[in-house]
Amino acid sequence: YLLECNGYHKIGRTVDIVSRMTAYKLHNPMPVKVLATSSVRDGRIYERWVMTYLGKAWHSGEWFVFNDVELLRVINRWFKC
């Protein structure tokens, strides 16, 4: 999944996006929005590969900072199935 929160973008994986979003909303004072999801065979490998590829935009943990053009590229390349 790809989330947006206060100008930051989180890339992660989950089996249940609804439960994951409930947890984010509970523990985060800022609004969190799902921008994109993707269904893949091996989420761990895919997530790690995407994060490595996007390393230059890394902020901290699983959070990244993208400008509008970069964000569209990320969505179109990694999250369109």
Side-chain angles (χ1 to χ4, degrees):
Y1 58 82
L2 175 64
L3 307 180
E4 182 175 51
C5 179
N6 201 33
Y8 296 95
H9 302 92
K10 182 177 187 332
I11 295 170
R13 61 185 170 87
T14 187
V15 173
D16 183 354
I17 191 70
V18 173
S19 294
R20 182 62 53 99
M21 288 305 297
T22 299
Y24 281 129
K25 289 177 181 178
L26 178 65
H27 299 289
N28 193 336
M30 306 302 285
V32 179
K33 180 170 52 170
V34 177
L35 297 181
T37 61
S38 182
S39 182
V40 297
R41 185 176 300 250
D42 191 334
R44 288 180 305 211
I45 292 171
Y46 187 79
E47 177 189 40
R48 186 168 305 203
W49 199 72
V50 171
M51 287 183 174
T52 300
Y53 182 83
L54 300 174
K56 66 182 177 187
W58 179 77
H59 175 70
S60 70
E62 295 178 345
W63 291 90
F64 297 81
V65 178
F66 304 118
N67 64 37
D68 291 342
V69 172
E70 291 168 332
L71 182 59
L72 285 174
R73 284 184 186 149
V74 167
I75 292 170
N76 287 328
R77 180 162 187 176
W78 303 108
F79 291 96
K80 295 254 180 170
C81 294

